[in-house]
């Protein structure tokens, strides 16, 4: 809030972050989703998803296959948001959502531009979250 770099984003912009083992949140329908997963060395972190949304053109977010450590979340969020700010379809109101940019570019190109031009480093590849099982959306009792 109050950051001029992000004060004029086109339309809505939804972010989700969760460490819930039963996938208690709907990361697939948010612009940015950070889903709790164990990292390459077993440390906790997040699997990064981008480009989801509902409305008249529903799209499921795309998994970037990138592992994000907890301390990297603000920087990675800013990088994803900056890509949207700089490349999103501002002039076309009906396409002014991150989901359309991700659909046109694909997750590989989106990740490449985000890492190279905005983060300045590559994120490690990460494991996908497990598929939701019985009782998804309820409290995990592992």
């Amino acid at each position: 809030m109050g950051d001029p770099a992000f004060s004029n984003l086109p339309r809505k912009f939804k972010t989700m972050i969760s460490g819930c083992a039963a996938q208690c949140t709907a990361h697939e329908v948010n612009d940015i989703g950070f889903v709790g997963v164990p990292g390459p060395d077993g440390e906790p972190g997040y699997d990064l998803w981008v480009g989801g949304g509902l409305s008249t053109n529903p799209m499921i977010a795309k998994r970037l296959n990138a592992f994000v450590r907890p301390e990297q979340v603000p920087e990675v969020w800013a990088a994803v948001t900056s890509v949207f700010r700089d490349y999103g379809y501002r002039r076309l109101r009906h396409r002014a959502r991150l989901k359309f940019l991700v659909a046109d570019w694909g997750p590989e190109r989106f990740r490449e531009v985000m890492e190279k031009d905005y983060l300045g480093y590559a994120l490690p590849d990460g494991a996908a979250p497990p598929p939701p099982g019985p009782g998804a959306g309820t409290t995990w009792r592992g």
Side-chain angles (χ1 to χ4, degrees), residues 58-142:
M59 292 186 195
I60 298 298
K62 302 296 184 210
R63 183 171 175 265
L64 294 191
N65 189 34
F67 178 74
V68 180
R69 289 178 176 77
E71 65 274 7
Q72 294 174 304
V73 168
E75 183 177 36
V76 171
W77 180 90
V80 170
T81 305
S82 295
V83 173
F84 175 51
R85 178 197 62 209
D86 296 346
Y87 292 100
Y89 305 120
R90 289 180 169 274
R91 296 186 189 275
L92 303 171
R93 180 170 165 76
H94 66 284
R95 290 181 52 91
R97 293 290 307 271
L98 180 60
K99 64 185 179 181
F100 294 108
L101 180 63
V102 173
D104 288 349
W105 280 14
E108 296 82 10
R109 178 176 176 201
F110 190 94
R111 180 177 175 179
E112 179 184 334
V113 170
M114 177 194 68
E115 290 175 340
K116 182 180 171 212
D117 297 342
Y118 293 89
L119 280 178
Y121 61 89
L123 294 166
D125 290 344
T138 62
T139 303
W140 181 64
R141 302 181 201 280

Side-chain angles (χ1 to χ4, degrees), residues 37-46 67 125-127:
V37 293
D41 297 325
E43 76 274 23
Y46 301 97
F67 178 74
D125 290 344

